[in-house]
Amino acid sequence: MTADQTPLSHGASVEGSPATVLLVDDDPKNLLALESILEDGSFKLKKAQTGNQALLALMSDDFAAIVLDVQMPDMSGIELARLIKQRRRTQHIPIIFLTAHYREDAHAILGYDAGAVDYLTKPVNPAVLRSKVNVFVDLFRKTQALAKMNVAAQAAEEALRVANAELEARNAALEREAEERRRRIRAESAQAEAESANAAKDRFLAMLSHELRTPLSPIIHAVTLLEEGDCPPELREAVETIHRNVRLEARLIDDLLDLARVRNDKLHLDFQSVEVHAVLRQAMEICRPDIAARRISLVEQLEAQATHVRADPARLQQVFWNLLTNAAKFTPAGGTIAVRTAGPDSTKHILIEISDNGAGIAPEKIRRIFNAFEQAEAPAHTGLGLGLAICKALVERHRGWIEAHSAGVGQGATFRIRIPSGQPATEVKPPPPLDMPDASGLRLLVVEDHRDTLETLQQLLKRRGYAVRTAGSVEQALQVAEEFEFDMLVSDIGLPDGRGTELLERLEKRSRHPFLAIAMSGFGTDEDLRNSYHAGFAQHLTKPVEFATLHEAIARLSSNLPKAVEEL
């Protein structure tokens, strides 16, 4: 094999290339002899004739071993060995010294001290040299293989680290996604629970309203019987007190339902052009008897110029009524309630102001006065604390705002409302007053499962000249209908063995002549009314029903007989 004398690039170590042994001797004949001894094809040989040539070769190649002559002209082998051992890259290369002159033990010790691993004298035994070089070549290859394994292990470790980092990043992303899903599920679950709770609350309020309204109906009817009868003067005032407080109880029930409608955004308003002063005067007329009974003066200062607004007249009257009754409740006998209007102002709002010189409001309670169930003063005052909360919601639904002012306890209070002004509606001639037809002799089938309500209602209807048959359930009503041809059905919705809507449907299928139907129920939500009208009832009256209201509804509907549907 021809020895390679071409220097390789620095650090060049081709993976899988054969090991290389560096031969250093100043005599070409010696180099040729060494080459012939060591040449076997299993490793490469590289030759250098001087120390400098050897150093240049060591800078460019990696060597399995160095066979180095001790005696050289420019640099001795001992000096070259010391230089080789000083360099970190070459200090591990085993050096075999060859010498023909330095045969003393002292020379050998000097060689070993310079870093040699062996010290041979010339003429060298070829077998021994080959054996020693082969050992170092084999060690070099194993070291190289181990280094490759270490590199591979490091590469694998780095790949594993990168993979672990990617896995951790992916796990973190998956954990974030999972947490987001958990958060979304919790939010959806919380929303579903809240909606379920709201629905349950609505059902509870509807049922509570029904249960509270039902016993009020016979009280109102019994009071009406007393008022229409020969009631002694000394009892008439007590009867009027009962009647007034039953209405108040019904108002409290309506407040509960209104609050639920407001919070669930189910409050329906019928907007139209409304004259504010007219609505205010109606509210004052309703409240005037109670205000007068408390010996409170009612002062009017209605000075607004353009007094029309877009509003629901019934709801606007409810706001004024609530504020007036609230003022009367907290104003002592001999006090004053003032109602004032002004505007429109520069913002095109009409001001309505209701003030009193009564109990006043503590400063710390002004901000909470419009919260539900909040009361300005001590619990001795009656009410649920819903009126002002409902007032605020209604005013805001009219695109206005309401505020309370008070100088403190005992200094009275003022409530100011501002509502956007509007244009009066096109003048329309009012319809002629309705002449109530004489409905005496009308045949009524009254279905009600509350016995007291049924008995008092039957007495009042008979007093008006109606022919009345009664029933307490769906089956009883069907039995009565077999032998009694009626002109009008007055039915409760919730019956022991079914619903009034089902009863109406079955009666319509079996009846031989048309009739009209009025629903009376303690259930009075918008949905309840829609269900009644959808089932075919011409009118839905919410308990407790004033008998005058029922009598008017019967009289109005009777004018449409034998029609089956009335446009109200």
Side-chain angles (χ1 to χ4, degrees):
M1 177 180 74
T2 302
D4 183 7
Q5 294 187 0
T6 304
L8 296 174
S9 62
H10 177 67
S13 179
V14 181
E15 184 177 350
S17 61
T20 305
V21 176
L22 178 61
L23 306 177
V24 185
D25 198 307
D26 61 327
D27 188 344
K29 294 179 180 178
N30 290 339
L31 287 176
L32 184 61
L34 291 173
E35 184 179 6
S36 62
I37 292 171
L38 297 175
E39 184 179 27
D40 67 354
S42 63
F43 54 87
K44 294 172 62 177
L45 296 173
K46 190 165 187 173
K47 296 181 293 185
Q49 290 183 255
T50 65
N52 288 331
Q53 286 183 0
L55 290 174
L56 287 174
L58 288 166
M59 291 178 63
S60 60
D61 290 334
D62 292 326
F63 293 93
I66 301 174
V67 178
L68 176 59
D69 187 19
V70 174
Q71 182 69 27
M72 291 190 297
D74 62 335
M75 181 186 302
S76 72
I78 299 296
E79 293 172 335
L80 178 59
R82 289 195 177 108
L83 289 175
I84 291 172
K85 293 301 178 180
Q86 288 175 3
R87 294 182 68 234
R88 182 176 180 182
R89 178 178 173 181
T90 58
Q91 64 184 0
H92 65 282
I93 303 175
I95 299 174
I96 301 174
F97 274 123
L98 299 180
T99 184
H101 304 284
Y102 300 102
R103 299 174 180 272
E104 301 296 331
D105 291 341
H107 295 138
I109 292 172
L110 189 63
Y112 287 124
D113 184 60
V117 295
D118 213 337
Y119 195 93
L120 302 178
T121 58
K122 298 178 182 178
V124 67
N125 186 323
V128 171
L129 181 61
R130 276 196 301 269
S131 175
K132 292 182 179 293
V133 169
N134 283 332
V135 168
F136 294 126
V137 167
D138 185 57
L139 179 62
F140 175 82
R141 286 176 177 149
K142 290 179 179 178
T143 303
Q144 216 176 29
L146 182 60
K148 291 178 182 177
M149 290 176 63
N150 287 337
V151 170
Q154 291 175 358
E157 183 178 352
E158 177 63 18
L160 182 60
R161 187 192 65 78
V162 172
N164 284 338
E166 292 177 352
L167 183 60
E168 288 177 2
R170 181 57 180 162
N171 285 340
L174 290 174
E175 183 61 30
R176 287 193 298 271
E177 292 176 7
E179 180 58 30
E180 177 62 22
R181 283 196 298 270
R182 288 193 293 269
R183 186 199 62 77
R184 188 166 58 249
I185 290 171
R186 287 195 298 268
E188 291 172 354
S189 177
Q191 181 179 359
E193 288 179 4
E195 291 174 353
S196 177
N198 280 336
K201 181 180 66 178
D202 290 344
R203 289 193 298 271
F204 170 76
L205 286 176
M207 185 58 65
L208 177 65
S209 169
H210 176 270
E211 294 302 317
L212 291 176
R213 288 176 188 274
T214 297
L216 295 181
S217 293
I219 298 175
I220 284 184
H221 297 158
V223 167
T224 304
L225 286 171
L226 291 173
E227 290 174 338
E228 292 180 353
D230 296 330
C231 183
E234 62 270 16
L235 294 180
R236 187 166 295 278
E237 184 176 349
V239 171
E240 290 175 355
T241 300
I242 295 172
H243 206 160
R244 184 170 57 252
N245 281 277
V246 170
R247 292 195 187 101
L248 177 60
E249 191 73 24
R251 179 69 261 169
L252 292 176
I253 296 169
D254 288 339
D255 283 350
L256 280 173
L257 292 178
D258 281 345
L259 182 65
R261 292 187 184 102
V262 167
R263 289 184 170 177
N264 293 318
D265 198 25
K266 293 181 179 179
L267 188 66
H268 173 72
L269 298 182
D270 181 17
F271 286 97
Q272 53 188 275
S273 179
V274 173
E275 207 278 316
V276 170
H277 286 174
V279 178
L280 258 176
R281 289 190 177 100
Q282 289 171 2
M284 286 188 286
E285 284 305 312
I286 295 171
C287 297
R288 199 179 298 276
D290 288 339
I291 293 174
R294 294 172 181 264
R295 301 193 305 279
I296 298 171
S297 299
L298 182 59
V299 179
E300 298 179 25
Q301 296 176 327
L302 307 184
E303 299 171 354
Q305 298 301 311
T307 57
H308 282 83
V309 297
R310 287 283 298 169
D312 182 319
R315 292 300 187 178
L316 193 59
Q317 180 177 304
Q318 180 182 351
V319 172
F320 298 152
W321 179 88
N322 263 321
L323 293 179
L324 286 166
T325 55
N326 194 65
K329 179 168 42 173
F330 292 103
T331 301
T336 301
I337 296 175
V339 179
R340 185 175 74 88
T341 65
D345 59 16
S346 59
T347 63
K348 298 182 179 180
H349 281 74
I350 294 176
L351 170 69
I352 302 100
E353 185 176 277
I354 298 176
S355 60
D356 63 73
N357 59 355
I361 306 170
E364 66 271 12
K365 292 189 176 182
I366 282 286
R367 294 183 179 179
R368 307 197 308 268
I369 197 68
F370 293 105
N371 294 343
F373 305 106
E374 187 74 36
Q375 293 184 326
E377 285 305 319
H381 293 285
T382 59
L384 298 176
L386 300 179
L388 292 179
I390 294 170
C391 284
K392 183 176 186 293
L394 290 174
V395 170
E396 290 176 348
R397 289 291 298 271
H398 284 83
R399 297 184 297 111
W401 66 90
I402 182 173
E403 55 192 7
H405 300 273
S406 178
V409 176
Q411 302 297 312
T414 298
F415 289 86
R416 295 190 183 101
I417 299 172
R418 286 179 172 84
I419 300 178
S421 60
Q423 296 297 323
T426 304
E427 186 175 353
V428 179
K429 292 183 179 180
L434 178 65
D435 293 329
M436 295 295 290
D438 181 10
S440 59
L442 198 69
R443 296 167 297 181
L444 304 180
L445 173 56
V446 181
V447 186
E448 169 64 58
D449 64 323
H450 192 265
R451 188 182 65 181
D452 293 339
T453 300
L454 188 60
E455 291 178 354
T456 52
L457 187 57
Q458 183 180 21
Q459 293 181 52
L460 288 169
L461 290 171
K462 285 184 175 180
R463 280 189 181 183
R464 296 299 189 277
Y466 296 114
V468 182
R469 294 288 300 274
T470 61
S473 66
V474 172
E475 290 304 321
Q476 288 181 13
L478 293 173
Q479 292 174 11
V480 172
E482 289 291 334
E483 57 184 49
F484 178 64
E485 289 189 0
F486 57 92
D487 303 302
M488 193 173 299
L489 171 69
V490 179
S491 178
D492 190 9
I493 294 297
L495 296 169
D497 56 347
R499 297 186 61 77
T501 52
E502 299 170 3
L503 171 63
L504 177 58
E505 181 181 358
R506 294 174 68 177
L507 287 174
E508 285 178 337
K509 290 180 180 179
R510 296 168 56 173
S511 177
R512 294 183 295 274
H513 67 284
F515 63 91
L516 293 172
I518 297 174
M520 286 200 313
S521 176
F523 295 104
T525 66
D526 294 339
E527 184 178 359
D528 295 325
L529 270 63
R530 284 194 299 270
N531 291 339
S532 293
Y533 293 136
H534 181 74
F537 284 98
Q539 192 160 349
H540 181 111
L541 303 178
T542 304
K543 295 178 180 178
V545 180
E546 294 278 354
F547 180 73
T549 303
L550 175 61
H551 178 49
E552 179 184 351
I554 293 172
R556 291 179 60 195
L557 291 178
S558 67
S559 64
N560 290 332
L561 287 171
K563 285 185 178 181
V565 177
E566 179 202 10
E567 294 294 330
L568 293 177

